[in-house]
Each structure stands twice: as structure tokens, then as C-alpha cells.
């Protein structure tokens, strides 16, 4: 037994000194902040790597207009949010290694010299070599490993949530930008129609057929339309700026980018799926809900770790000593830390944090249910609004047709025809605005439920930002947004 203790002590020393030769060295990684502005400005939507990604997803590279899928893939390609979440996931995976490491052994040596050698000894020197092996009790290591694993799960779900938010942000801003383009064109058409009507009314005023008050009202309408056109132009600029931020590119890259809406609006789902079905699906698949539940699991694991800390560790220290020429064997037993108060404070803190996360899950779930409920209500409302607007356009179109026929027969003049055409322009603008609100409501419902309602899912798992080169590459990533199953 004594010989084994001595061999163990010597072996620990050899291992310790051998490990020193293989230690890693610190490598600084300074950030190139000075070049970030130029790199941001150099991002282009005709980037060959982005074109390759679009082609891999079955989207024509040279298309006449960009839809929401193209915008979403561009946002995943350019925005750094995905890269940040991927690195956070890598950090939690590294933490799993740290959590599984057992306590390192220790070694110590000492030398003593007496004033004179004791009687019967030839030397006054005493040498000792001892080691220390720590044995954890109470399941500390298992608790740490469990905590690290659920933290990795939480990071993976946050990665999925980040990707979903990036996708939905690009799609929402794209829909708003397309609507701003349409509204600007409608505002211009309205102003042109009012100017035409004003010119004809001025002719009638000069002939004494209308009063000055009637002409003044028409002039006011023209000025109001001009202001509305300027406001529509400002709204378009704001919408394009928001789209640029969502894609993480400069405004000049999207200022003249042609856009088109999805072929199908998300609100069509309200006909086939009930509110309860949508709410249940959202609670099961929405990444934000999964991330909140994973954070609760982390808090639960933290409590388990603190409970395990109540139990003391045991240090076993075999060693060998030479006392003035006499060899001795040493075996020590120690408890480095004894929780006299049973770790009441740390356990209470961990329990309180678990309660906070439980409340947080409730907050997230309620927010999701409220978003789904309001999204369904908005879809029903805007669909009725579209029906009314469509009816108004049909009626206005019929009035224009009748007016044109009457004008051809000489029954009415150009002024009456122009006023009828102006009513049609107004009806068409109301129809376009209602249709735009339908698209926005569909995207909002899709964002609330986590379902792909207006098109096929966007597969983004192959879009990865190369960490060191600063360029994008196509390779398998470590995670992705929930693949929503129908």
C-alpha cells in the first residue's frame, strides 16, 4: 500500500510537468473597427455568393422584381445576428466540456532543516511530496453537466428565434416598401386626376357655369393631393430605409430595387384553421416560446447545482516523506468546504430565479396568444374591407363606362367624365390600401404563429458567415429555425 502511495505521488508530478509543455498560448484577436464602414458600404445585392444562395433555393438570380423570399435570404446572408447567435451556441457547447471536467489533482513539496540532526539520524533535512485528489459528492458534476446541456439547448433555440426574427423582419419591411411604392403611384394618379378636373372646372368658371366657391374647393383638393403625394414620397423613403436596415445594406442598394408581394396572402389560413389550432401551433413551434422554456430549464438546473453544493467534497492526499533519513508514507483526508448553513442563501436565490423564469414563460405565452388572437381578428377585418373596396371599384368602373358612353353620345361634357374617372382613381387607391393591409395582416399572423402561410418555408441551414475571412460561404450550419410541419 505504501509503495502504491509513493508511485501515485510521483505519477501526479510527472503528469503535471508533462502537461505544462502542452499548454495553449493566448492569441489576441483585435477587431478591425476602422474598416467596418467601408465593408458595410461594399455590400451589394448582386453579390455572386448571394446569387449562388438564391439559385440553390430555386429562385432565379436575374428576376424582374424581388419577393419576400429573396429579401429574407439576403437578410440572413448580410445581417450579423445569425453569426452572433451561432457563436453563442458554440460558447455553450464549450461550456459543456468545462462542466464535465472533474477536479484537477494537486501536488505539493516541502523541505525542512533542523538546527541539528536528531539522535540516531545522519542528516537534519526533511523532504515531503504530497498529492491531493478531490472527490465531489452530492452529484455536483452531474448537475453541472445537466445545466450546461440545457444551456446549449437554450442557445440553439435562441439561434432559431434569431433566424426567424431576421426572416420576418425582412419580409415585413419588404411588404411595407412595396405598399409604399403602390401608394406613391396612387397618390400621383390622384393628383393628376384632380389637376385635370381643376383645368376643366376653370373653363366652366370662365364661362360662368360654376361659382368661385366651387372652383376654390377644387383648388384646395389639388393642393391637398400634392401634399399627400409628398407625404407618400416621404413614406416610401422611410420604408426603403427600414428595408435597408432589415437587410443590413446601404439605402442606395434598395432605393430603386423593384419589389413584388407574395402570390398568396397569409390571411387565407383563417378559413381552414381555427383560432384554437393556430394558438396551439404557435405555443408548440414558435422559437420564442421554446427559448423561454429552455431558459426555465436552465434556471431549474441552476437550482439543482446549488442544492448539490450543500454536500462537502473529500480530498484524499497520499504522499511520501524523508525525515532525516527515515522514509515515511503519508495519507491525509480533508473537507475543503463545509456548508454549515446548508447553502440556504444560494439555494433561495436559485429558487427565486426559477420562479422568475416561470413567470417569464407565462408572459411570453400570453404575448403569443394575444398576437395570434389579434392577428386573426385583423385578417377577418381586412378581408371584409377588401370585399367592400372591390365592390366600390366595380361600381366606379361601371360608372366610368356609363359616363364614357354618355360622353360619346354628347349627353355629358368632359368635366363630368373627368369627375367620374377621379372617383374611380380614389376607389382604386382605397382598394390598394386595403389589399396592402391584408398583406401586412397576413405577415403579422405568420410572425405570431410561426407558420409559413404565404409561401414555402425558407431553408437557411446552409447560409453561414465565415468567422475569420469576413465572407459568406455555403456549408452546413449547426442549427436552424423550426421546420414548421403541416
Amino acid at each position: 500500500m505504501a509503495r502504491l502511495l509513493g508511485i501515485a505521488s510521483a505519477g501526479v508530478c510527472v503528469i503535471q510537468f508533462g502537461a505544462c509543455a502542452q499548454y495553449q498560448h493566448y492569441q489576441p484577436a483585435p477587431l478591425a473597427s476602422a474598416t467596418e464602414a467601408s465593408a458595410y458600404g461594399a455590400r451589394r445585392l448582386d453579390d455572386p455568393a448571394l446569387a449562388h444562395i438564391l439559385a440553390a433555393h430555386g429562385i432565379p438570380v436575374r428576376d424582374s422584381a424581388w419577393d419576400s423570399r429573396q429579401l429574407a435570404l439576403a437578410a440572413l446572408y448580410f445581417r450579423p445576428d445569425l453569426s452572433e447567435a451561432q457563436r453563442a451556441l458554440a460558447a455553450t457547447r464549450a461550456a459543456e466540456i468545462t462542466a464535465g471536467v472533474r477536479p484537477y489533482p494537486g501536488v505539493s513539496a516541502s523541505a525542512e532543516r533542523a538546527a541539528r540532526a536528531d539522535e540516531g539520524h545522519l542528516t537534519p533535512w526533511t523532504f515531503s511530496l504530497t498529492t491531493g485528489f478531490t472527490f465531489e459528492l452530492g452529484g455536483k458534476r452531474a448537475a453541472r453537466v445537466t445545466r450546461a446541456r440545457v444551456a446549449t439547448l437554450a442557445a440553439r433555440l435562441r439561434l432559431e428565434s434569431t433566424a426567424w426574427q431576421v426572416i420576418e423582419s425582412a419580409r415585413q419591411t419588404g411588404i411595407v416598401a412595396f405598399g409604399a411604392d403602390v401608394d406613391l403611384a396612387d397618390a400621383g394618379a390622384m393628383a393628376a386626376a384632380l389637376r385635370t378636373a381643376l383645368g376643366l372646372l376653370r373653363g366652366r368658371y370662365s364661362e360662368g357655369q360654376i361659382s368661385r366657391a366651387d372652383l376654390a374647393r377644387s383648388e384646395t383638393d389639388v393642393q391637398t393631393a400634392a401634399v399627400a403625394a409628398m407625404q407618400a414620397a416621404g413614406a416610401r423613403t422611410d420604408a426603403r430605409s427600414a428595408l435597408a436596415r432589415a437587410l443590413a445594406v446601404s439605402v442606395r442598394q434598395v432605393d430603386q430595387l423593384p419589389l413584388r408581394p407574395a402570390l398568396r396572402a397569409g390571411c387565407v389560413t383563417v378559413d381552414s384553421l381555427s383560432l384554437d389550432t393556430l394558438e396551439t401551433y404557435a405555443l408548440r413551434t414558435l422559437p420564442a416560446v421554446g427559448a423561454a422554456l429552455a431558459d426555465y430549464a436552465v434556471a431549474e438546473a441552476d437550482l439543482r447545482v446549488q442544492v448539490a453544493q450543500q454536500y462537502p467534497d473529500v480530498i484524499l492526499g497520499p504522499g511520501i516523506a524523508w525525515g532525516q533519513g527515515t522514509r515515511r508514507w503519508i495519507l491525509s483526508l480533508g473537507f475543503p468546504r463545509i456548508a454549515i448553513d446548508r447553502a440556504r442563501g444560494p439555494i433561495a436565490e436559485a429558487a427565486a430565479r426559477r420562479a422568475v423564469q416561470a413567470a417569464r414563460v407565462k408572459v411570453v405565452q400570453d404575448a403569443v396568444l394575444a398576437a395570434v388572437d389579434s392577428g386573426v381578428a385583423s385578417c377577418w377585418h381586412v378581408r371584409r374591407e377588401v370585399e367592400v373596396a372591390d365592390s366600390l371599384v366595380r361600381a366606379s368602373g361601371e360608372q366610368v363606362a356609363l359616363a364614357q358612353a354618355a360622353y360619346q353620345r354628347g349627353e355629358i361634357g368632359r368635366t363630368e367624365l373627368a369627375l367620374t374617372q377621379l372617383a374611380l382613381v380614389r376607389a382604386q387607391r382605397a382598394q390598394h390600401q386595403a389589399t396592402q393591409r391584408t398583406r401586412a395582416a397576413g405577415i403579422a399572423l405568420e410572425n405570431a404563429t410561426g407558420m409559413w402561410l404565404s409561401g414555402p418555408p425558407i431553408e437557411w441551414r446552409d447560409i453561414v458567415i465565415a468567422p475569420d475571412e469576413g465572407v459568406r460561404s455555403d456549408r452546413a450550419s449547426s442549427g436552424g429555425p423550426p421546420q414548421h410541419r403541416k
Side-chain angles (χ1 to χ4, degrees):
M1 180 64 181
R3 184 178 298 276
L4 290 176
L5 294 176
I7 294 174
S9 300
V12 170
C13 293
V14 172
I15 293 173
Q16 178 66 35
F17 289 115
C20 293
Q22 300 180 2
Y23 282 171
Q24 300 183 40
H25 299 283
Y26 167 73
Q27 295 292 337
L31 297 176
S33 302
T35 60
E36 181 61 26
S38 59
Y40 184 88
R43 296 174 184 172
R44 299 178 58 85
L45 293 178
D46 58 357
D47 189 322
L50 176 58
H52 178 70
I53 292 174
L54 295 175
H57 285 77
I59 300 175
V61 179
R62 299 184 181 277
D63 205 345
S64 58
W66 284 54
D67 62 10
S68 58
R69 285 172 53 80
Q70 292 166 299
L71 295 175
L73 291 171
L76 290 170
Y77 176 72
F78 285 117
R79 284 181 55 171
D81 307 55
L82 195 62
S83 177
E84 179 186 8
Q86 287 171 332
R87 282 155 177 76
L89 176 59
T92 57
R93 286 176 171 169
E96 287 189 51
I97 301 175
T98 304
V101 173
R102 300 183 184 276
Y104 296 137
V107 61
S108 63
S110 65
E112 300 178 10
R113 186 181 186 283
R116 59 183 178 83
D118 295 339
E119 183 177 354
H121 295 85
L122 301 178
T123 175
W125 289 96
T126 298
F127 302 94
S128 66
L129 177 65
T130 58
T131 58
F133 297 92
T134 302
F135 297 91
E136 294 182 310
L137 303 180
K140 294 184 181 68
R141 179 176 179 274
R144 291 197 307 270
V145 171
T146 301
R147 197 268 180 200
R149 287 175 179 172
V150 295
T152 299
L153 174 61
R156 183 179 296 112
L157 291 171
R158 277 191 289 271
L159 170 61
E160 297 176 358
S161 180
T162 298
W164 178 257
Q165 291 170 5
V166 168
I167 290 172
E168 289 304 298
S169 174
R171 300 177 72 214
Q172 288 176 348
T173 54
I175 288 295
V176 173
F178 175 80
D181 290 347
V182 174
D183 193 60
L184 177 59
D186 288 342
M190 177 76 70
L194 284 170
R195 286 194 298 269
T196 299
L198 177 60
L200 295 173
L201 289 174
R202 282 175 175 168
R204 285 199 168 187
Y205 174 73
S206 63
E207 296 172 357
Q209 299 181 13
I210 62 173
S211 66
R212 177 58 187 167
D214 294 333
L215 182 61
R217 281 195 296 270
S218 180
E219 291 174 344
T220 301
D221 290 341
V222 170
Q223 293 174 352
T224 302
V227 172
M230 292 297 298
Q231 292 174 340
R236 181 192 181 279
T237 300
D238 293 341
R240 291 287 171 156
S241 298
L243 178 59
R245 290 193 298 270
L247 302 184
V249 298
S250 61
V251 177
R252 65 177 179 272
Q253 287 295 312
V254 300
D255 186 46
Q256 299 300 325
L257 182 69
L259 301 173
R260 64 180 179 185
L263 298 178
R264 183 181 64 176
C267 285
V268 298
T269 309
V270 299
D271 290 332
S272 57
L273 297 177
S274 64
L275 176 62
D276 291 340
T277 301
L278 292 173
E279 289 177 341
T280 301
Y281 198 94
L283 292 177
R284 289 180 178 178
T285 62
L286 200 64
V289 177
L293 292 172
D295 288 336
Y296 175 80
V298 172
E300 179 81 18
D302 283 335
L303 178 58
R304 179 182 174 185
V305 170
Q306 294 303 327
V307 170
Q309 292 297 329
Q310 297 178 103
Y311 299 90
D313 298 335
V314 176
I315 297 180
L316 184 65
I320 187 172
W322 290 268
Q324 298 187 9
T326 302
R327 183 173 60 184
R328 297 182 178 88
W329 303 106
I330 304 171
L331 181 60
S332 62
L333 182 68
F335 300 91
R337 187 179 60 86
I338 300 176
I340 300 177
D341 63 347
R342 293 174 297 173
R344 288 195 298 266
I347 291 176
E349 290 182 18
R353 287 193 295 269
R354 182 180 64 176
V356 170
Q357 288 301 326
R360 176 61 183 167
V361 171
K362 178 66 173 176
V363 170
V364 172
Q365 290 176 338
D366 282 359
V368 169
L369 294 175
V372 174
D373 187 30
S374 61
V376 171
S378 296
C379 281
W380 281 114
H381 174 75
V382 296
R383 291 184 65 182
R384 290 193 294 270
E385 183 181 351
V386 168
E387 293 174 358
V388 174
D390 290 344
S391 177
L392 178 61
V393 169
R394 287 194 298 270
S396 299
E398 293 173 357
Q399 291 296 324
V400 169
L402 293 175
Q404 287 176 339
Y407 177 74
Q408 293 295 332
R409 294 193 300 268
E411 297 175 358
I412 62 174
R414 291 182 56 194
T415 303
E416 287 77 11
L417 177 60
L419 292 176
T420 306
Q421 293 172 337
L422 175 61
L424 176 60
V425 171
R426 285 174 173 162
Q428 289 174 339
R429 186 179 188 187
Q431 181 190 45
H432 293 161
Q433 290 174 343
T435 303
Q436 173 63 17
R437 282 191 284 272
T438 301
R439 297 191 188 101
I443 290 292
L445 180 61
E446 184 173 286
N447 190 25
T449 58
M451 296 178 64
W452 302 100
L453 305 176
S454 56
I458 297 176
E459 300 289 346
W460 65 275
R461 293 173 181 266
D462 294 335
I463 303 176
V464 180
I465 299 177
D468 298 325
E469 296 83 352
V471 297
R472 276 67 176 173
S473 63
D474 293 346
R475 53 192 174 121
S477 69
S478 57
Q483 301 305 306
H484 304 289
R485 296 169 291 278
K486 297 292 181 75

